[in-house]
Amino acid sequence: MQLAARANQLSPSVTLAISTKAKAMKAEGIDVCDFSAGEPDFDTPAHIREAAKDALDRGKTRYGPAAGEPKLRQAIAAKLQKDNALSYQPENIIVTNGGKQSLFNLILALIESDDEVIIPAPYWLSYPEMVKLAGGNPIIISTEASNGYKLTAEQLRQSITPKTKLLILNTPSNPTGAVYSPDEIRAIAEVIVERDILVVSDEIYEKILYDGAEHLSIGAVSPEAFARTFISNGFAKSYAMTGWRVGYLAGAVEAIQAATRLQGHSTSNVCTFAQYGAIAALEGSQEPVQTMLAAFTERRSVLLEGARAISGLSCSVPDGAFYLFIDVSKTGLGSLDFCKSLLDAESVAAVPGVAFGDDRCIRLSYATDMTSIQKGIERLERFVASC
């Protein structure tokens, strides 16, 4: 069968291979310490589940507007104003099937052949693939642990060419947990305005912050930055709603209308009753968010202390999200070989950094129970000692 070139150019998911093997081992009764999950290990808060059940009982099971339920778009606009100082109206917002579709819709709506999209590395693994599918060129800019794995304003300025159209900014970051400070965001915004390019800010982890870290949305820096900014966000991480598949994109009306047309010909509306759960997430109690954050804070402390005590490993302190990005290069193994061998030898599942654009490192998620974290540290130490 002759496949389209776009299908053949996509990189296979390394993370899926590790995850599939870990699940198969668990099914065989093997005690696997799984640090590969990119989702909270908590149930969706009860009031959100109840709102979706109530919507079902009220018959909210039919097709809805492709851009999302009006009440949810209004609630998102209110949230963006209250939490992020971003003055969007409902017509500036589209509700999508997860945060991933919000980015995919935007990139398809904006990017054409040979357009360049700047992506700081380490990056979430789907960013470059989306750009390639749209016919654009992902321009990968490496960052270093010494700078907290953050793109500097000067790096951005030097990377912009006449073909540059978009910067993808992710703060807090997957996989590193890096959070750009307000001053760093202001410096990047200045370059965005100066060079007249667009930016999409992926803020899916915005509520998961530690040690007083502050999240500033780049669009709030100035009216000029706001005009060039798109916001991608969703409910998966902060509200433990990964399987609900509800995200959103906010930005200029013309782009949102284009994204809505694309969505109308692909997935149409997001699951109707799930959107009523999302309304409850925004308008109801935020206490469950704080409860999850407290658990993540404790787990982060234990995993970070344990990883940093292992000779041969090094790790930056994550200020957000729920990941450690650990440099394993002193073991002499590339990240994929390290993760495969770690799973085989010690039944510990980790994600190779090569999937995120940095083969020196592995990603460990602490969105798992404390027992697994403590056992996993012991096994990781034993494995590194054997390398």
Side-chain angles (χ1 to χ4, degrees):
M1 182 178 292
Q2 185 67 41
L3 296 176
R6 74 176 68 87
N8 287 323
Q9 73 181 4
L10 288 173
S11 304
S13 172
V14 207
T15 57
L16 186 60
I18 297 285
S19 176
T20 300
K21 184 169 182 179
K23 287 176 182 175
M25 291 171 67
K26 286 180 182 178
E28 293 171 10
I30 298 172
D31 178 23
V32 176
C33 294
D34 191 354
F35 294 99
S36 66
E39 62 178 340
D41 59 322
F42 299 95
D43 290 333
T44 303
H47 70 283
I48 298 173
R49 301 197 309 268
E50 289 301 322
K53 291 175 188 176
D54 179 64
L56 278 169
D57 291 340
R58 291 187 291 117
K60 301 296 184 182
T61 58
R62 299 184 181 277
Y63 292 136
E69 292 295 309
K71 189 176 179 184
L72 177 54
R73 295 170 78 193
Q74 181 62 59
I76 292 168
K79 178 265 178 218
L80 289 170
Q81 178 65 67
K82 176 176 176 287
D83 292 353
N84 309 105
L86 298 170
S87 298
Y88 290 115
Q89 299 301 313
E91 58 264 31
N92 294 104
I93 294 160
I94 178 176
V95 180
T96 59
N97 288 278
K100 182 178 287 187
Q101 191 184 28
S102 76
L103 291 160
F104 191 60
N105 284 349
L106 177 67
I107 289 168
L108 282 181
L110 290 181
I111 302 305
E112 297 182 285
S113 178
D114 291 334
D115 282 344
E116 293 180 352
V117 178
I118 294 174
I119 303 173
Y123 47 73
W124 181 52
L125 55 91
S126 291
Y127 295 151
E129 305 307 318
M130 292 178 183
V131 173
K132 288 189 284 186
L133 277 172
N137 293 325
I139 306 300
I140 308 302
I141 309 301
S142 294
T143 63
E144 297 299 328
S146 58
N147 191 47
Y149 292 111
K150 290 181 280 191
L151 177 76
T152 67
E154 190 54 36
Q155 277 183 302
L156 174 60
R157 184 177 282 109
Q158 292 178 4
S159 303
I160 294 172
T161 76
K163 292 183 177 181
T164 304
K165 194 161 192 180
L166 180 70
L167 164 68
I168 299 179
L169 186 67
N170 178 209
T171 179
S173 163
N174 174 12
T176 67
V179 177
Y180 287 74
S181 72
D183 284 345
E184 290 166 334
I185 290 291
R186 291 185 190 101
I188 289 173
E190 184 177 330
V191 178
I192 295 292
V193 173
E194 169 194 313
R195 302 300 296 272
D196 194 20
I197 66 169
L198 301 171
V199 57
V200 57
S201 182
D202 182 349
E203 304 184 356
I204 194 75
Y205 294 95
E206 67 164 328
K207 293 184 181 294
I208 305 174
L209 299 167
Y210 310 104
D211 297 338
E214 182 182 346
H215 172 74
L216 173 64
S217 187
I218 192 166
V221 169
S222 68
E224 294 79 13
F226 179 75
R228 294 165 174 81
T229 295
F230 294 92
I231 302 296
S232 169
N233 208 327
F235 298 83
K237 314 299 182 179
S238 298
Y239 297 100
M241 293 174 66
T242 52
W244 293 63
R245 310 313 301 137
V246 187
Y248 59 88
L249 177 72
V253 169
E254 297 87 347
I256 297 302
Q257 289 173 342
T260 302
R261 291 194 295 272
L262 283 166
Q263 188 158 296
H265 288 292
S266 56
T267 60
S268 298
N269 65 288
V270 173
C271 173
T272 303
F273 53 86
Q275 293 185 64
Y276 284 85
I279 294 168
L282 293 178
E283 296 183 345
S285 170
Q286 301 301 299
E287 186 176 340
V289 178
Q290 296 308 310
T291 299
M292 286 189 280
L293 179 59
F296 288 143
T297 301
E298 183 182 7
R299 296 169 183 181
R300 165 183 172 264
S301 177
V302 172
L303 186 58
L304 183 62
E305 182 180 346
R308 287 186 141 188
I310 299 174
S311 178
L313 302 186
S314 60
C315 178
S316 298
V317 178
D319 289 325
F322 39 70
Y323 308 108
L324 292 192
F325 203 57
I326 302 175
D327 189 329
V328 299
S329 57
K330 288 184 179 178
T331 65
L333 296 174
S335 64
L336 185 56
D337 287 339
F338 186 99
C339 289
K340 285 180 176 177
S341 300
L342 178 63
L343 186 57
D344 288 338
E346 294 290 349
S347 302
V348 174
V351 182
V354 68
F356 308 108
D358 192 332
D359 197 30
R360 299 168 296 181
C361 300
I362 64 170
R363 189 194 78 177
L364 298 186
S365 166
Y366 46 91
T368 189
D369 64 277
M370 192 66 81
T371 300
S372 294
I373 289 173
Q374 291 167 337
K375 285 194 298 184
I377 290 168
E378 294 173 4
R379 296 179 187 185
L380 179 61
E381 183 174 22
R382 190 162 58 231
F383 175 76
V384 171
S386 72
C387 289

